[in-house]
């Protein structure tokens, strides 16, 4: 036994030491909190930036354009405007020229027809089709303005454009840009829309889902329930785990070499995008599915086997229904990841300029993230807000999908 | 008939087969009391599977092969004699003719495609008829084969289950097939590349400028060392300098300090950060972070700072990786036995001393494994560097200078206007192969480290 006096905690040295140690403790804790807050702050900053920039992308600036249709003498009767033929009739009668002329007369000081968006005459056309009576008179129609005026009216323009905005005064107004939800890509930022890209995304996701979900679920069932423990099973497991970690661009190279090169499928088509993304999503579904299947207690299987069900009946009548919420959660998360994926789709040519929404699985198409990438490359100022607006749409979709996944998890997941 | 319609017809035939076979099985059961080997539904399923599977397998193969067959048939016609030699123009004419024949295009840019369109339509309809006839034949053959077996003594259920098992096995083989496809396509195209450019030039050359390739010595301008360095610098140095401290400290705070209520809403925030698409990060890096980094560099006196600096791309990539590092560190810390922590606290150590001197050292192998996985993800990340890093390859240690990465170069090489078989496009596959091998090795190594560490405490 050593003879040692107990530590005297009241000496100055010991007190200083305690203070120092507690100070270190506080600092360490603050560090941790700071790391969390900074990460969350970055997310908040990113979202706020996108919303601030993107909100303007959903609106357009309009100018009130006086047109005298009676004097313009369009060779169109109100009857001809009904139905789809009305578009052709008005285009054939030279409506675009009439609109440009009216702009030239009304805004001679501000650049005439240059003031209007390329799509302004389309707005006049649609208004005329809705109110054929206008053909006989003089009227004023709100039409979208060119992109530099649009940007200036929203407060970020060049000095010249600012002067034009000031000169026009209250003839300018702001409204919801409906074309943004109906159009596809265009060269004029005031005419672009995300519907084309959104439709491409939906078609691509459809292909991905109908391929990756059944294959993923079936292989998860096989690996978890039936697979004998041998070298082949190990090989399957290793490849699935590796596929989940392969960089996405490698899948793009695979799609380019195999689907486009060997099979000769069409470039830029949703079917190829869907196939490529399905290969990428499948491992995610398999891994999530296996975890969900593993969580089903063995007593369920034993009970079913005990009353005479065959192994296939045990799995398809009992295990699969119980594991389905977990599998669906994993599937939605995998699909959300596929929806945000860009790089592999660039490889298979989905970066082309596509001015019309795709009509089928083999039509040239683009998808939302690639559209964002393409617009971010544009130099014209008007594309900045459109890019951010498209990002908002994409994030809303992803948040909705993740929300559904979280809801499913909380609502249906059973804890055994 | 078109392929889509054929799929539906086959499905309808399968449904009919199911009803027919089931009705027959019900018929031979009525009025008899002996034990049967299968329920009527099993007989139905057996016949339906035999009716649908052969034509569906045929149609799936047909769907991949018929476009090439149709094109070959068109090239064999007299009108195709004037086609230009294989290349971009020929492909353009052929695809235009295909669109014309389907009524998807109204005008043609090439005169020749108008001539070829009727040939296309004829070949397409001929092959569609062949497909319809063969699919129908297969469906009826399968139906006849199976229907003849619908008897009271036939064990339909075990037959159906055997088919189901085969389907399950086939589904899980797709994963191997994908891996083989990736390796084969990368190796095949890379082999063609290395037959033009020596491997040593590619792996050890320090000059990368694919825009100007000297046809006599293509290897001189395809040395990938600057790309490897840029990838390592952005992904493994700058990004990790952000992700490791932030990810580790968030994991420590969340697992050791935070109240459960705080943790409940902080974890989803980190998950959202991980769920943001990389193209959004890329846009943010290019639009907001890169100019800020340049302004900062100029303000500290680096007047030549690039607006496509390695620092901007690396910082944003680091933020993207934070949740990944955090969740890996979270798992490793949770695996440390509680007795170690309790022992340390009982000795009078403060929580931070326990974490720094006991928990983190004990969890270190797991954390290192997680960081390796994070590095492998960072170097494979594409969109951030495509949008925020530059295309200029240079060997530099300066974070404000422009550097490029492997993934960025793959995208640049393959999306340019070049013919497919040039050294330039094949180089992308060689880069892809390198990337694949490196990420694979990193993953395997990391998994070994993590696994060995887990075993230590189990």
């Amino acid at each position: 036994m050593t003879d040692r006096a107990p530590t005297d905690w009241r000496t100055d040295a010991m007190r200083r030491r305690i203070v120092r140690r507690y100070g270190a403790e506080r600092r360490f804790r603050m560090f941790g909190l700071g790391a969390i807050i900074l990460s969350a702050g970055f997310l908040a900053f990113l979202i706020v930036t996108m919303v601030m920039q993107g909100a303007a992308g959903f609106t357009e600036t309009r100018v009130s354009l006086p047109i005298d249709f009676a004097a313009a003498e369009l060779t169109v009767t109100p009857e001809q405007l009904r139905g789809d033929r009305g578009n052709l009739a008005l285009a054939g009668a030279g409506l675009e020229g009439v609109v440009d002329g009216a702009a030239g007369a009304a805004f001679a000081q501000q650049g005439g027809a240059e003031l209007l968006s390329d799509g302004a005459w389309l707005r006049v056309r649609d208004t005329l089709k809705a109110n054929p009576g206008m053909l006989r008179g003089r009227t004023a129609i709100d039409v979208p303005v060119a992109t530099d005026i649009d940007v200036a009216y929203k407060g970020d323009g060049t000095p010249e454009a600012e002067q034009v905005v000031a000169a026009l005064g209250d003839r300018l107004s702001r409204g919801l840009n409906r074309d943004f939800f109906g159009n596809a890509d265009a060269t004029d930022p005031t005419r672009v829309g995300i519907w084309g890209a959104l439709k491409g995304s939906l078609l691509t996701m459809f292909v991905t889902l109908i391929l990756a979900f059944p294959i993923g679920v079936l292989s998860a069932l096989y690996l978890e329930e039936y697979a004998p423990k041998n070298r082949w099973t190990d090989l399957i497991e290793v490849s699935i785990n590796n596929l989940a970690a392969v960089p996405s661009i490698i899948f793009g190279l695979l799609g380019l070499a195999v689907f486009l090169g060997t099979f000769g499928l069409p470039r830029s088509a949703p079917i190829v995008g869907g196939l490529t993304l399905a290969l990428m999503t499948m491992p995610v579904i398999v891994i999530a599915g296996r975890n969900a299947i593993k969580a089903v207690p063995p007593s369920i299987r034993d009970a079913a086997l005990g009353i005479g069900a065959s192994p296939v009946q045990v799995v398809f009548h009992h295990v699969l229904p119980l594991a389905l919420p977990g599998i669906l959660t994993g599937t939605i998360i995998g699909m959300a990841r596929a929806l945000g994926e860009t790089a592999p789709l660039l490889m298979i040519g989905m970066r082309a300029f596509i001015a019309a929404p795709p009509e089928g699985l083999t039509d040239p198409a683009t998808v939302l993230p690639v559209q964002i990438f393409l617009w971010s490359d544009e130099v014209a100022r008007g594309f900045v807000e459109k890019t951010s607006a498209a990002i908002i749409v994409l994030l809303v979709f992803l948040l909705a999908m993740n929300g559904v996944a979280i809801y499913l998890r909380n609502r249906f997941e059973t804890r055994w | 008939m078109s392929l889509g319609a054929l799929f539906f017809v086959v499905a309808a035939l399968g449904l009919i087969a199911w009803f027919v076979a089931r009705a027959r099985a019900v018929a031979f059961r009525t009025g008899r009391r002996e034990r049967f080997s299968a329920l009527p539904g099993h007989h139905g399923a057996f016949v339906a599977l035999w009716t649908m599977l052969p034509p569906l397998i045929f149609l799936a193969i047909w769907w991949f092969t018929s476009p090439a067959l149709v094109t070959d048939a068109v090239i064999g016609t007299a009108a195709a004699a004037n086609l230009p030699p294989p290349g971009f123009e020929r492909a353009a004419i052929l695809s235009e003719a295909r669109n014309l024949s389907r009524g998807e295009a109204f005008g043609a840019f090439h005169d020749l495609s108008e001539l070829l369109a009727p040939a296309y339509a004829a070949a397409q309809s001929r092959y569609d008829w062949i497909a319809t006839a063969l699919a129908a034949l297969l469906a009826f053959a399968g139906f006849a084969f199976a229907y003849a077996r619908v008897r009271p003594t036939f064990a339909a259920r075990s037959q159906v289950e055997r088919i189901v098992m085969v389907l399950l096995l086939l589904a899980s083989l797709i994963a191997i097939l994908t891996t083989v496809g990736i390796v084969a396509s990368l190796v095949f195209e890379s082999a063609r590349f290395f037959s033009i450019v020596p491997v040593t030039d590619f792996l050890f050359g320090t000059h990368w400028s694919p825009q100007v390739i000297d046809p006599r010595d293509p290897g001189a301008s395809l040395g990938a060392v600057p790309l490897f360095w840029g990838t390592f610098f952005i992904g493994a140095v700058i990004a990790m300098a952000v992700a490791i401290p932030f990810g580790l400290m968030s994991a420590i705070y969340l697992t050791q300090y935070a109240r459960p209520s705080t943790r409940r809403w902080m974890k989803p925030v980190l998950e959202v950060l991980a769920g943001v698409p990389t193209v959004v990060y890329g846009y943010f890096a290019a639009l907001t972070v890169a100019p800020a980094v340049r302004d900062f560099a100029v303000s500290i006196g680096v007047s030549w700072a690039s607006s496509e600096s390695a620092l901007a791309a690396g910082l944003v990539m680091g933020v993207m990786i934070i949740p990944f590092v955090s969740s890996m560190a979270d798992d490793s810390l949770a695996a440390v036995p509680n007795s170690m922590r309790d022992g340390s606290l009982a000795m009078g150590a403060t929580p931070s001393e326990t974490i720094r001197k006991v928990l983190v050292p004990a969890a270190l192998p797991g954390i290192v494994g997680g960081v390796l996985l994070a590095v492998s993800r960072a170097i494979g990340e594409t969109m951030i560097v495509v949008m925020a890093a530059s295309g200029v390859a240079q060997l530099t240690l300066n974070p404000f200078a422009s550097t490029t990465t492997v993934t960025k170069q793959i995208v640049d090489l393959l999306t340019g206007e070049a013919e497919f078989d040039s050294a330039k496009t094949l180089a992308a596959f060689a880069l892809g192969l390198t990337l694949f091998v490196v990420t694979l090795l990193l993953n395997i190594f990391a998994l070994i480290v993590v696994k060995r560490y887990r075993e230590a405490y189990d």
Side-chain angles (χ1 to χ4, degrees):
Chain A
M1 286 290 277
T2 46
D3 212 14
R4 238 183 89 182
T7 311
D8 184 0
W9 292 96
R10 279 165 304 182
T11 58
D12 274 356
M14 274 305 174
R15 280 186 189 185
R16 273 202 303 278
R17 191 165 158 176
I18 295 280
V19 167
R20 206 185 65 230
R21 285 176 63 201
Y22 280 13
E25 169 71 30
R26 262 199 313 280
R27 279 196 299 279
F28 190 73
R29 202 182 159 136
M30 283 297 129
F31 253 20
L33 190 60
I36 289 269
I37 288 176
L38 273 176
S39 309
F42 184 87
L43 180 68
F45 182 52
L46 190 146
I47 289 178
V48 168
T49 312
M50 291 303 148
V51 170
M52 300 261 284
Q53 283 178 1
F58 295 109
T59 62
E60 63 182 4
T61 309
R62 299 174 189 146
V63 65
S64 169
L65 173 69
I67 306 185
D68 191 349
F69 287 113
E73 291 175 356
L74 284 166
T75 53
V76 185
T77 60
E79 288 72 39
Q80 282 177 305
L81 294 184
R82 302 223 172 81
D84 289 339
R85 306 193 63 87
N87 291 351
L88 278 176
L90 282 173
L95 182 64
E96 193 170 1
V98 172
V99 172
D100 285 356
F107 310 115
Q109 304 296 313
Q110 289 91 23
E114 296 282 298
L115 183 73
L116 303 185
S117 150
D118 289 356
W121 75 277
L122 296 173
R123 191 65 59 85
V124 175
R125 182 189 76 187
D126 294 340
T127 315
L128 268 182
K129 280 176 69 187
N131 313 293
M134 282 185 180
L135 270 180
R136 298 202 186 84
R138 202 184 145 79
T139 179
I141 299 177
D142 280 352
V143 296
V145 297
T147 178
D148 47 343
I149 311 295
D150 181 47
V151 171
Y153 189 68
K154 287 166 181 169
D156 185 32
T158 55
E160 302 87 63
E162 299 277 9
Q163 280 175 12
V164 175
V165 169
L168 286 172
D170 57 359
R171 289 157 87 182
L172 290 172
S173 64
R174 238 170 133 170
L176 182 69
N177 185 355
R178 288 215 185 80
D179 287 349
F180 187 67
F181 298 102
N183 285 5
D185 203 359
T187 44
D188 179 353
T190 57
R191 289 193 62 196
V192 300
I194 52 160
W195 173 237
L198 195 58
K199 199 172 171 192
S201 267
L202 292 178
L203 289 172
T204 308
M205 286 298 107
F206 170 74
V207 177
T208 305
L209 186 65
I210 59 165
L211 288 173
F213 181 66
I215 295 178
V217 173
L218 292 183
S219 18
L221 283 177
Y222 181 76
L223 291 175
E224 206 53 47
E225 296 287 329
Y226 301 116
K229 203 73 195 124
N230 61 24
R231 205 175 286 173
W232 277 102
T233 315
D234 285 349
L235 192 63
I236 296 176
E237 275 191 40
V238 168
S239 23
I240 285 177
N241 289 334
N242 275 327
L243 284 181
V246 167
S248 61
I249 193 166
I250 302 285
F251 285 96
L253 291 176
L254 170 78
L256 176 64
V258 175
F259 297 135
L260 298 185
T262 310
F263 291 141
L265 293 174
R267 274 179 89 81
S268 313
I271 183 100
V272 183
L275 276 167
T276 312
L277 291 181
L279 295 181
M280 226 183 79
T281 313
M282 190 199 60
V284 180
I285 298 180
V286 175
I287 292 171
R290 290 187 67 174
N291 288 334
I293 293 166
K294 220 180 280 175
V296 177
S299 56
I300 303 262
R301 297 178 184 86
D302 296 342
L305 282 172
I307 56 168
S310 72
V312 170
Q313 285 173 329
V314 169
V315 165
F316 282 90
H317 294 180
H318 300 281
V319 176
L320 184 58
L322 289 173
L324 209 54
I327 299 178
L328 284 182
T329 311
T331 306
I332 296 174
I333 288 170
M335 293 299 290
R337 215 157 101 186
L339 178 63
E341 199 55 71
T342 321
L345 301 178
L346 292 182
M347 297 287 93
I348 56 159
M350 284 186 116
R351 66 177 289 163
F353 173 81
I354 313 281
E359 294 297 323
L361 291 178
T362 49
D363 280 359
T366 188
V367 294
L368 264 182
V370 178
Q371 188 70 76
I372 291 168
F373 170 64
L374 291 175
W375 285 349
S376 75
D377 251 9
E378 298 278 350
V379 268
R381 208 109 168 230
F383 275 106
V384 172
E385 58 177 41
K386 300 295 174 193
T387 313
S388 301
I391 287 178
I392 294 175
V393 173
L394 180 63
L395 287 181
V396 165
F397 266 86
L398 291 177
L399 274 182
M401 285 170 83
N402 282 308
V404 170
I406 291 171
Y407 172 78
L408 271 180
R409 188 162 63 195
N410 293 343
R411 176 80 176 67
F412 293 106
E413 200 170 62
T414 332
R415 294 238 167 259
W416 302 95
Chain B
M1 254 183 276
S2 74
L3 282 181
L6 270 179
F7 274 107
F8 280 106
V9 170
V10 168
L13 282 179
L15 199 64
I16 294 171
W18 190 81
F19 277 113
V20 171
R22 191 173 175 279
R24 175 160 167 175
V26 169
F28 65 58
R29 281 170 83 102
T30 44
R32 292 162 69 173
R33 298 195 65 86
E34 76 245 45
R35 293 177 64 85
F36 294 96
S37 313
L39 293 169
H42 293 130
H43 286 287
F46 176 70
V47 178
L49 281 174
W50 266 102
T51 313
M52 288 194 300
L53 284 181
L56 283 183
I57 292 168
F58 162 72
L59 286 178
I61 298 170
W62 185 260
W63 186 78
F64 278 112
T65 50
S66 70
L69 287 177
V70 171
T71 308
D72 282 350
V74 171
I75 289 170
T77 59
N82 299 328
L83 272 177
F88 182 74
E89 203 184 347
R90 182 190 183 114
I93 292 177
L94 285 173
S95 87
E96 209 174 69
R98 183 163 54 230
N99 288 340
L100 277 176
S101 73
R102 287 180 189 162
E104 285 166 1
F106 298 105
F109 182 69
H110 301 274
D111 297 335
L112 194 51
S113 49
E114 299 223 21
L115 279 175
L116 283 177
Y120 241 111
Q124 186 69 50
S125 80
R126 191 164 69 245
Y127 275 96
D128 279 352
W129 274 113
I130 296 175
T132 312
L134 280 176
L137 196 69
L138 283 168
F140 282 109
F143 175 76
F145 171 80
Y147 191 71
R149 276 161 184 70
V150 180
R151 282 190 301 268
T153 50
F154 179 62
R157 192 182 82 184
S158 58
Q159 293 295 321
V160 170
E161 293 185 349
R162 199 185 289 165
I163 299 178
V164 170
M165 291 301 283
V166 171
L167 286 181
L168 289 181
L169 179 63
L170 286 180
S172 55
L173 287 182
I174 302 263
I176 295 194
L177 212 63
T178 311
T179 310
V180 170
I182 289 179
V183 173
S185 57
L186 290 180
V187 167
F188 180 71
E189 305 287 347
S190 302
R192 285 166 62 192
F193 174 70
F194 290 128
S195 69
I196 310 173
V197 176
V199 182
T200 45
D201 281 9
F202 175 73
L203 285 182
F204 305 113
T206 54
H207 178 66
W208 178 269
S209 60
Q211 291 78 23
V212 273
I213 295 176
D214 181 2
R216 276 161 305 172
D217 183 16
S221 51
L222 289 173
V225 169
L227 308 190
F228 299 151
W229 167 248
T231 310
F232 177 79
F233 190 47
I234 291 180
V237 178
I238 301 177
M240 287 307 130
V242 177
I244 294 176
F246 278 86
L248 195 56
M249 286 311 289
S250 339
I252 288 172
Y253 188 81
L254 281 180
T255 54
Q256 310 294 327
Y257 287 115
R259 279 189 305 251
S261 57
T262 319
R263 193 158 59 231
R264 237 196 336 267
W265 67 267
M266 265 330 221
K267 272 197 106 149
V269 167
L270 283 184
E271 280 169 23
V272 170
L273 203 56
V276 173
T278 54
V279 69
V280 177
Y281 280 116
Y283 182 62
F284 189 70
L287 195 78
T288 311
V289 180
V293 166
R294 197 205 36 226
D295 293 347
F296 171 72
V298 170
S299 75
I300 61 167
V302 191
S303 55
W304 44 267
S306 161
S307 65
E308 296 181 317
S309 58
L311 192 59
L315 283 178
V316 176
M317 195 184 280
V319 171
M320 188 193 83
I321 301 283
I322 289 176
F324 191 76
V325 174
S326 165
S327 83
M328 295 300 286
D330 200 329
D331 290 349
S332 322
L333 286 171
V336 177
N338 267 339
S339 53
M340 292 175 81
R341 196 175 109 194
D342 295 347
S344 165
L345 290 173
M347 298 284 284
T350 63
S352 70
E353 286 162 353
T354 306
I355 292 166
R356 273 180 296 170
K357 299 191 173 145
V358 178
L359 290 186
V360 171
L364 201 58
I367 295 173
V368 169
V371 167
L372 287 179
L373 288 180
V375 170
S376 118
R377 178 167 285 205
I379 63 176
E381 167 46 41
T382 310
M383 289 323 291
I384 293 178
V385 286
V386 165
M387 294 166 86
S390 80
V392 187
Q394 51 178 329
L395 276 164
T396 171
L397 255 175
N398 190 321
F400 297 117
S402 55
T403 35
T404 190
T405 71
V406 171
T407 47
K408 159 100 177 153
Q409 286 303 317
I410 294 178
V411 172
D412 284 0
L413 290 173
L414 284 179
T415 49
E417 306 284 323
E419 68 272 42
F420 189 68
D421 284 342
S422 67
K424 198 172 149 185
T425 51
L426 289 175
F429 284 90
L431 288 175
L433 183 65
T434 323
L435 181 66
F436 179 72
V437 170
V438 169
T439 52
L440 192 67
L441 291 179
L442 269 177
N443 285 326
I444 293 174
F445 185 60
L447 285 179
I448 291 174
V449 170
V450 172
K451 204 170 172 185
R452 192 167 297 163
Y453 151 74
R454 281 216 183 104
E455 278 160 5
Y457 293 118
D458 273 345

